[in-house]
Structures are given as structure tokens and as C-alpha cells.
Amino acid sequence: MKKKIGTLILIVLMLGYLTAPAPILAAAQPIIKVALKIDASSYSDKIYGPYQVVDNKTGAVVATVNNSDGVQVDVSPDNGGDIYVLNGEGAVTTLPADSTGLYGVGAGGTVQALPKDYFMVDAQAKPRAAKGLALTVDGTPAGTFVGPLEFQRQSTQLNNPPLIGFNGKRYRGNFRLIPRSETAFNIINVLPMEEYLYGVVPSEMPTSWHMEALKAQAVAARTYALRQIKANPLAEYNVLPTDASQVYGGYDKERGSSSSAVDQTRGEVLVYNGQPIDAVFHSSNGGATENSEEVWSSTVAYLRGKVDPFDYNDWHYRSDPKNTVTYDKAGLITQLNLKGYNFGDVTDLIVDKLTTVGQRIQILRITGKDKNGNPLEVILKNADRVRTTFGLKARAKSMTLVKDPVTQELQSVTFTSEGWGHGLGMSQYGAKGRAENGQTYKQILQFYYTGAQLVGDYNQSQ
């Protein structure tokens, strides 16, 4: 009886194996393009590990490098080099590469126009080199190529990966060098999303922070990046490596804890109405996030203001002297003019409205005279405009005016703020506080992005 039962179990297991559905493959990672340098005049650094240099114009492999210690590679714009013309006496005249209307003078003194795309060396007419990028590998010229040139890695291993150096940092993935003019080209780092995030999360949040906070940061950064890719998938690049997008420090910035946070949330993004949200974040909200329309301009359903006691931290609330900014009258006029407001004199600053949740200055009216002595009034219509106009760390919590006790003439203004940044979306210090108080990354994200849904596989089911 035992033997028959064992045989029956074996048959059932085999049938289950044969009829089980094929495993669902993980969604393919989106590829992101990071503009490391716009209008570079040259590239000079090392490539570590197996790479091929490909001329994307023709698809030809024009160089191969494979040395873990690094191979020096140099690229510069090349407009054809110098043009050499033999004159009638046999002497060589050197002319600039962009010269036009060149003429050769024969031994008998006959002048003959040269074709625009030709030069002469040793009395032999030869085509000029095509305008493009001149490539040198390990000190040896490899040629000039119309481009774009692409440094393509030949291994995708995550540990000890092939890398490309640039400006003192090393990067995963490929580099794409795209000519923009006769003297400049863009340097674009092209790589899979998760490898990009390995260099973003530790650049945006201290890696010593709680894992749940790091995971929340990974999801927010992934969502932000995916939204940029979807906005214009054919764009030359999707993001910058600075806080104009989100900070990306490349391979040398990577740390084990932040990479683990990326791996543990692989493919997870936040969506609203089926689309990736604009997952903005900031360092510290000063005790409350805000409604989007009070900080910027438009209403965004998932960027709603909420009181946030978990954000509190000594530095952005107390210790940092930048929490207080003071302008005397002359400095105030100078600052306003730097921001494009044509004040010759300022007579008053009036708070017209505070934000609903954080009670920060939302609308500020500035009165005075222009440089011609005419009355001038400027209204700063949202909290972030107030913040950026006066160079504040965060939204203005309060404003104090000092006026002459006799004439009531404005003498100075002092703004105080708490936090750091625009105050919309996720607070990084708030995420830290919430994680340390037992909240999961999903709970953290749910708080800061109202009504947004966490989905997997880069939302590719949509």
C-alpha cells in the first residue's frame, strides 16, 4: 500500500510539473539616458574592463579595450585637420580646416581652384577627413568618425562591472558621445534603470539611514526617472545628474545598504490613474507638507498637504544659520533686481496669504518704485516663488520688518524658515523618522503621495 501511494504521489507531481504554467519573466528594465556633460569640448579618461567603441553612424566597431586597470581614451572634435597646399615653389602652406575657396598654384604659375572637400599633400589630392569626433586609444589615433561614438560594455555583470571614467568618477553602462557642433559634443551615460538607481539613492539619502527609508527613496527615485523616460522616450537624454533632476553619483557613490534597497524594491513604482506620478521629494518639510497649488501653480491630486511630526530634526529646525535670512534695504533691492524685478526702492512687504496646512507665506506683495521713480508693485503668488526669490532654504515661516520709528521707512527684512526644500511630496527626514518609528516603506510612500498606488514591473501592464 505504501508503494502504491508513493507511486501515485510521483505521478501527480509529474503531471503537475508538466502542466504547470511557465514562470513569468521579470519585466525588462527601462533604459535611462543621463546627460553627464552638455557641450563638452573633449573627453579624456580611462575605460576599465571589456568595452567596444562603436561608430553609430555605420555600426562599425572602431576600437576594443579590455583592461581592468584602465585604458586611456581621448575624444575631441575634428573638423578635418589642417589643409596642406603645395605652392609653385614646392613650399607647404598650412591653412585652417574651415577655409573655403582654396587654390593650388602650379609650377608654371597657373592657379587652379581646389574642390571644397579636398586638400593636397605631396602633390596628391586627397579627400578631407569627415567632420566628427577624433578618437585616440592608449595614445594611438583610431580615426575620425561622424558619430555618435558609443562606448559599449561587453559584460553586464553587476559585481566588478566594466566601468567608464569621467571627471574623477566611474560609471556603469555605456557612454554615448553625440556631436552638437563643430566644437562640442554631449556625453550621455546610457544604462539600465536599476544600475542608475544604485548611484542615485546613496547620492540623495545617507546610506546609514534605516532600510525602510532607503527603500522609500528608491521607489520615489525610480518613479521619477520612469516618468521622465515616458515623457519623451526618443529624447537624446532623460535626466541630468544634478538636483535639477535627481543627484546621480555613479559607481563610486554606491554602497551596500542603498543597493540592497534598490534590489528589494526592483521594478516598483507609484502610479495615479495608471500613470507614473511626479514623485518629487525634498530634504525636510519643516513640520508639514503642502498642497501643490500653494507651492507651485497647478493642483496635483497626490501632492496634498499634511502635518508631519516625524520630520523633526535639529539641523533644519534649529542649528543651521541659513534658517534665518536678513536683508537691509539696499541688499533687498539688489536681490529683487537679481531676480528680474525692476525696483529702485522698496517701501513695504505685505503677507496676503498663508498656506493652508503649513501656515507658510504663500502670497507676498512687494511695493515700492521702479528705477524711474514710478510706483511698482510685485506679487509673489506661491510659496516656492517666495522661497527662491529671497534665497531661503525652505518656505518662509515668518517675516519681520524693521522700520524707522519716526519716518516708517523700511530698513530691513528678516525671513525665518524651517526645513529644506519646496515641501512637496516625500520628506527625506520625514521618511527617516517614520522608518525609525516602525513604518514600512509602503506606509511612508502612502503618507506622502496621497492616493498613489504602488505597482511592480515598472507599470508595464498599462
Side-chain angles (χ1 to χ4, degrees), residues 51-56 58-65 135 145 149-150 152 154:
Y51 271 87
Q52 288 182 339
V53 183
V54 176
D55 181 4
N56 280 354
T58 64
V61 177
V62 298
T64 300
V65 298
L135 172 69
F145 307 95
L149 286 180
E150 183 152 348
Q152 297 181 352
Q154 299 302 295

Side-chain angles (χ1 to χ4, degrees), residues 130-144:
K131 292 182 179 179
L133 300 175
L135 172 69
T136 299
V137 179
D138 202 19
T140 301
T144 296

Side-chain angles (χ1 to χ4, degrees), residues 178-402:
I178 305 174
R180 301 300 300 165
S181 69
E182 293 184 357
T183 59
F185 54 92
N186 291 347
I187 301 176
I188 313 298
N189 186 196
V190 182
L191 73 168
M193 173 72 81
E194 303 301 309
E195 294 181 59
Y196 163 70
L197 294 174
Y198 288 160
V200 170
V201 175
S203 301
E204 285 286 359
M205 179 176 281
T207 56
S208 60
W209 284 12
H210 196 286
M211 178 57 69
E212 294 302 304
L214 291 170
K215 287 158 70 175
Q217 180 67 68
V219 173
R222 184 183 294 109
T223 304
Y224 176 87
L226 182 63
R227 184 180 173 93
Q228 303 311 305
I229 294 171
K230 286 183 173 293
N232 191 353
L234 299 180
E236 188 173 291
Y237 61 89
N238 309 119
V239 293
L240 298 170
T242 67
D243 59 8
S245 298
Q246 50 191 6
V247 182
Y248 167 57
Y251 177 79
D252 293 316
K253 193 69 176 180
E254 295 177 15
R255 297 295 183 271
S257 58
S258 50
S259 293
S260 178
V262 172
D263 291 339
Q264 290 182 50
T265 62
R266 180 186 173 99
E268 293 184 349
V269 294
L270 293 160
V271 300
Y272 193 89
N273 288 337
Q275 297 301 316
I277 70 170
D278 188 9
V280 293
F281 51 86
H282 56 282
S283 181
S284 172
N285 61 35
T289 61
E290 303 285 7
N291 297 323
S292 61
E293 65 273 15
E294 297 178 329
V295 175
W296 289 340
S297 56
S298 59
T299 300
V300 180
Y302 49 81
L303 296 179
R304 301 291 87 198
K306 297 179 181 180
V307 174
D308 186 11
F310 291 98
D311 176 88
Y312 185 83
N313 58 92
D314 283 340
W315 181 246
H316 294 314
Y317 285 72
R318 294 178 181 274
S319 302
D320 191 349
K322 294 179 182 178
N323 289 334
T324 301
V325 175
T326 299
Y327 292 98
D328 62 17
K329 187 173 184 178
L332 176 63
I333 293 170
T334 297
Q335 178 68 13
L336 289 170
N337 277 272
L338 285 173
K339 295 299 180 178
Y341 303 112
N342 187 35
F343 278 98
D345 186 29
V346 176
T347 55
D348 209 355
L349 293 91
I350 304 152
V351 176
D352 282 344
K353 187 177 181 181
L354 299 176
T355 58
T356 303
V357 180
Q359 294 293 289
R360 303 301 195 257
I361 298 174
Q362 178 186 342
I363 300 178
L364 181 66
R365 185 156 38 100
I366 308 167
T367 62
K369 295 180 179 180
D370 66 18
K371 293 179 181 178
N372 295 319
N374 300 313
L376 176 62
E377 180 178 87
V378 169
I379 300 177
L380 305 179
K381 295 184 178 181
N382 60 57
D384 207 45
R385 181 63 59 86
V386 175
R387 177 180 74 92
T388 57
T389 296
F390 297 106
L392 311 179
K393 276 186 61 184
R395 296 149 294 139
K397 181 179 181 182
S398 64
M399 179 185 72
T400 304
L401 302 179
V402 175

